Amino acid sequence: MKQLMSFAITATMLLGGSSCGSSHKRVSVPTDSNSKVWVCTGGSSKRYHAYSNCKGLSNCRANIEEISLQEAESMGRTPCRKCYKR
């Protein structure tokens, strides 16, 4: 039973199942500049996220804020690889 469970988890991960450390699926990068995204306000942050509970935000020591895609891109942020399809 343990092996079957391990196989199911591995298969889900390989086939593009849940990401971001939650039940969310990867989504396409938004094209509307008014779309809302999540960012860590820390100085070394480089990505924007589709979900506020993405694992990519788990090490944020500053605030996590919802901002527009346009604002995130103007800050030099790029899409999170856990949230968005490549």
Side-chain angles (χ1 to χ4, degrees), residues 8-77:
I9 292 169
T10 302
T12 300
M13 291 170 65
L14 290 174
L15 295 174
S18 298
S19 62
C20 280
S22 65
S23 62
H24 301 296
K25 301 233 184 234
R26 285 185 178 169
V27 295
S28 297
V29 175
T31 55
D32 178 6
S33 62
N34 293 317
S35 296
K36 296 297 182 182
V37 296
W38 295 91
V39 296
C40 174
T41 59
S44 62
S45 295
K46 299 176 183 171
R47 308 275 184 206
Y48 60 83
H49 305 266
Y51 309 104
S52 62
N53 62 340
C54 174
K55 271 191 173 182
L57 289 168
S58 64
N59 289 327
C60 180
R61 299 292 174 243
N63 294 321
I64 297 172
E65 294 182 0
E66 184 179 32
I67 62 173
S68 71
L69 174 62
Q70 181 180 16
E71 194 175 356
E73 289 178 336
S74 72
M75 297 166 72
R77 306 295 175 92

